[in-house]
Amino acid sequence: MPKRFLIAANWKMNPPPGGFDAPDSPYKSTATVEVVAFPTFLHIRDCVDAGLITGGQCGHPEKSGARTGDISMNMLQTAGCEYVLCGHSERRQSHGVTDEDVAAQVQAALAAKLIPILCVGESKREQEAGRGTDTVQRQLQAFQAGCVVAYEPVWAIGNEAADPKYAQEVHSFIRLQLPSALREKTNILYGGSVNPANAANFLSQPHVDGLLIGGASLKPGDFGKIVQVAEGLGAAGK
Ligand code: PGA
């Protein structure tokens, strides 16, 4: 069966965009494109009730306990989430999340029957030093069967998108790092300043199976256009 494109809306610390719960919401999945919304914890229930496929922006690996401010993977699943982001660069940078933490999150997410989206990506300094793929390879050690991978070069987030050909090369590198039985099955998303004008260039790269979108996902019109681009292109994994 051909893979469906996966288009993820990471709303970060913002309220859900207007019309997210409307009958014609652009955040709803279509026959050919799986769309997932990542709201704040406070808005998970609203998204689930609106019929959106919903994910948590992060989750703690422990089931419960003295973890002020945290939410566990099990709690996300009970609230109706189907996905969870693990290791987004903003969590790695500003919350001290380590590779070991991310590996524990991935494991706990799978145990809680959530699909982890393992986020990997190098900094500008690492890229300039020619160590970009070393970082990606190291971060991929948290990969397990059942994960989606999102390649998000840190320098491209909220800034200037990577060259789609560069993304394609790194995606191909990532695929080769995966266990051979999972290589073709695994969705590898690109993230970093995707917009309606560049979405087709990314999605038409052979190893790009979807997109993780921040800024443009807060504009329903732009996000809807990106979903339409994915629909127009048909199946992922061309
Ligand atoms: P951006 O964010 O689309 O605003 O670059 C992507 C992300 O951080 O997931």
Side-chain angles (χ1 to χ4, degrees):
M1 231 201 12
K3 271 190 287 191
R4 287 204 297 169
F5 278 121
L6 175 55
I7 307 291
N10 179 11
W11 294 335
K12 308 191 180 184
M13 198 173 68
N14 295 288
F20 78 99
D21 53 354
D24 61 348
S25 166
Y27 304 100
K28 279 195 175 143
S29 294
T30 71
T32 55
V33 181
E34 174 132 338
V35 180
V36 188
F38 290 88
T40 72
F41 292 143
L42 294 180
H43 299 101
I44 285 173
R45 181 59 75 193
D46 297 334
C47 290
V48 171
D49 288 349
L52 308 189
I53 298 179
T54 305
Q57 295 179 12
C58 63
H60 198 282
E62 286 168 27
K63 286 192 178 151
S64 59
R67 299 286 172 195
T68 304
D70 278 318
I71 298 231
S72 73
M73 296 294 179
N74 291 73
M75 289 167 177
L76 290 173
Q77 198 272 342
T78 306
C81 287
E82 295 176 48
Y83 284 82
V84 63
L85 299 180
C86 295
H88 189 282
S89 63
E90 287 157 13
R91 303 291 305 173
R92 293 181 191 263
Q93 280 171 343
S94 60
H95 292 263
V97 169
T98 65
D99 290 334
E100 291 69 34
D101 296 332
V102 177
Q105 289 168 15
V106 164
Q107 192 163 349
L110 290 166
K113 306 263 179 293
L114 294 171
I115 300 171
I117 300 189
L118 170 62
C119 302
V120 300
E122 79 284 7
S123 66
K124 190 77 198 159
R125 186 190 275 191
E126 289 162 338
Q127 192 215 23
E128 283 173 355
R131 291 189 283 109
T133 48
D134 293 351
T135 299
V136 168
Q137 192 172 32
R138 197 196 70 231
Q139 294 173 337
L140 279 174
Q141 283 171 16
F143 177 88
Q144 291 193 37
C147 277
V148 169
V149 178
Y151 171 57
E152 297 204 301
V154 178
W155 45 270
I157 294 178
N159 185 22
E160 196 177 324
D163 181 332
K165 292 265 176 302
Y166 175 80
Q168 158 67 12
E169 274 169 32
V170 182
H171 280 227
S172 158
F173 171 82
I174 290 171
R175 211 174 286 287
L176 282 175
Q177 307 305 306
L178 305 180
S180 52
L182 302 170
R183 260 179 215 156
E184 295 312 316
K185 280 192 211 160
T186 302
N187 274 311
I188 307 179
L189 318 182
Y190 167 78
S193 300
V194 175
N195 60 43
N198 62 22
N201 287 340
F202 284 107
L203 290 174
S204 44
Q205 303 298 325
H207 289 294
V208 176
D209 305 312
L211 302 166
L212 177 53
I213 304 170
S217 77
L218 292 167
K219 299 179 194 147
D222 282 4
F223 188 76
K225 282 185 200 151
I226 296 171
V227 174
Q228 274 171 16
V229 166
E231 281 193 299
L233 286 167
K238 305 116 302 209

